[in-house]
Each structure stands twice: as structure tokens, then as C-alpha cells.
Amino acid sequence: MMGNVFVLDHPLIQHKLTYVRKTETGTKEFRELVDEIAGLMAYEITRDLPVEEVTIETPVTTTKSYVLTGKKIGIVPILRAGLGMVEGVLRHIPTAKVGHVGLYRDPDTLMPHEYYFKMPNDIEERDLIVVDPMLATGGSASDAIQSLKNRGAKSIKLMCLIAAPEGVEAIREAHPEVDIYLAAMDEKLNDHGYIVPGLGDAGDRLYGTK
Ligand code: PRP
Ligand code: URA
């Protein structure tokens, strides 16, 4: 089955994304906004989680209500920039476990290099949400997803703030079953592999490095 691409064009997400993109937005505000957007996206991305009916006692009466059922969640940030999205998701899914994939993109070849991989020991039984603000060539996310599959992961969603069409195509080609959730689909990549219009270097803007 071919995965779907969902652009979460909620007004709150779009408003915050505008400020994330702006050059004059400083590190503190940038980090807060990425966190807030990730939280709002988590709310949308979990809309289809299964629930089951249970019978409970309120102080007044017996009633039927709903609780989550089905698989547990795992959040997988791609280091560094993906870290900026973790807390926002955890606010809504506080019992999720977090696995980390360390990847950096070689600035000359644009090829990703894995330097860290640490997962909960039951990833094959979890619904995993891979988070990274930027999906540019798609190389980093594609490698991260492949690493997860190699270790037994069966259910993976990808959540990014901004994607280039090239990155979306790369994921659809390599991992056709993975649903992709975005705050925005941008125009293109430039000659340096940056997303246009984009927001610049997400890791540098989150952590104040250059
Ligand atoms: C950025 C970004 C993605 C990757 C996207 O990370 O956070 O992981 O580039 O590019 P791609 O789709 O072409 O692979 P970067 O390699 O700059 O590392 P950092 O998060 O440590 O800054
Ligand atoms: N990584 C980033 O942080 N920004 C881009 O535009 C592309 C890759």
C-alpha cells in the first residue's frame, strides 16, 4: 500500500510556522515555536488511534467511556534537529518511549552518516513516529527509517515541519508504506540542498550554532 502525504494546514500550525521561517526569529522563540508546532501536529497525527469502550464509575453513576487501545507509541527523533520536536509530542503522549537516531548530512555530498542508534527494546511492537523538522533530499529520514526496519520496526510514520518535493518522493520511493505528515510542502531544493523558501538550518537555529 502506498503511504499518504498529509499537509496539516491547521491555522495555528500555519501561523506559528510563519514565525519559525522568519530570519529575525531568535533561538529561544524558534525553539518554543518548533515545540508548539510539534505538539499541534501530534494532536492531528494521533487522530486515528484506536479506542475501546470501558465501563467506569463516576462519583455520580456508572457510565461507558473510552480509553486508548492498540499498540504503544515510540517517538524517534533524528539528531540533532529532531530533538526539538520530542517534548511537544510527549506532552500529548506522555507514556511514549523515545529512541534516538544520530545522523548528520555531509555538507558536500549531502549523504547522511549514522553515528548513533538507541531504541526501546520492543520497537517491533510499537507504532513509531520519526520526527525531524526538515525533509530535504530525504536521505536522512530514509536512512533512519531503513535502520528502524532493519531492527524489526513494522509501523512507522514520518513527521516533519517542512519538506521539499524531492524529499517526499525519496521517501515514497524507498518506503512506500510510510505515511508522511507535514506542516508545509515547500517549492524546491537549492544548489546546496537547502529547502526553498524553508527556514534555513534547523539544527543551527534550534541550538544557536553556526
Ligand atoms: C538536517 C535536518 C535533517 C536533514 C535533512 O540535519 O535536521 O536531518 O538535514 O536533510 P536531507 O533530507 O537532505 O537528509 P543535519 O544533517 O543538518 O544535522 P543536525 O540536525 O545535526 O544539524
Ligand atoms: N537541513 C536543514 O536544516 N535545512 C534545510 O533546508 C535542508 C536540510
Side-chain angles (χ1 to χ4, degrees), residues 67-188:
V67 291
L68 290 169
T69 181
K71 290 203 235 168
K72 293 185 183 145
I73 306 284
I75 307 165
V76 182
I78 301 178
L79 307 183
R80 267 179 316 168
L83 285 176
M85 299 173 73
V86 173
E87 290 301 321
V89 181
L90 275 177
R91 251 196 319 278
H92 298 286
I93 319 172
T95 56
K97 290 198 172 165
V98 182
H100 296 85
V101 184
L103 286 171
Y104 72 90
R105 193 174 76 149
D106 183 297
D108 298 321
T109 65
L110 302 184
M111 294 303 290
H113 296 272
E114 186 175 302
Y115 59 85
Y116 190 74
F117 190 91
K118 183 76 180 171
M119 290 297 137
N121 60 13
D122 56 355
I123 55 169
E124 67 282 352
E125 289 157 23
R126 288 183 180 266
D127 286 327
L128 301 179
I129 307 173
V130 176
V131 296
D132 191 329
M134 309 306 276
L135 183 64
T137 65
S140 301
S142 186
D143 274 24
I145 292 167
Q146 191 57 53
S147 286
L148 291 169
K149 287 183 177 175
N150 292 348
R151 271 88 157 192
K154 307 239 166 13
S155 165
I156 302 173
K157 291 175 174 174
L158 175 63
M159 176 172 137
C160 304
L161 298 194
I162 300 180
E166 293 89 332
V168 169
E169 262 325 294
I171 300 298
R172 290 177 73 99
E173 173 104 353
H175 307 289
E177 77 289 0
V178 170
D179 286 340
I180 304 172
Y181 296 80
L182 306 171
M185 172 78 103
D186 273 9
E187 205 180 300
K188 60 179 182 181

Side-chain angles (χ1 to χ4, degrees), residues 17-42:
L17 190 62
T18 298
Y19 289 89
V20 162
R21 288 184 187 278
K22 288 173 94 165
T23 310
E24 63 264 37
T25 300
T27 301
K28 174 177 177 286
E29 196 186 350
F30 187 92
R31 205 160 42 219
E32 289 168 355
L33 287 164
V34 168
D35 171 79
E36 289 168 16
I37 295 170
L40 291 166
M41 292 183 78

Side-chain angles (χ1 to χ4, degrees), residues 81 105 134-137 189 192-196 198-204:
R105 193 174 76 149
M134 309 306 276
L135 183 64
T137 65
L189 292 179
H192 304 289
Y194 276 83
I195 299 175
V196 180
L199 51 72
D201 187 305
D204 283 345

Side-chain angles (χ1 to χ4, degrees), residues 46-53 66-71 73 127:
T46 50
R47 198 173 274 287
D48 62 349
L49 288 184
V51 291
E52 67 181 354
E53 199 178 69
Y66 297 94
V67 291
L68 290 169
T69 181
K71 290 203 235 168
I73 306 284
D127 286 327

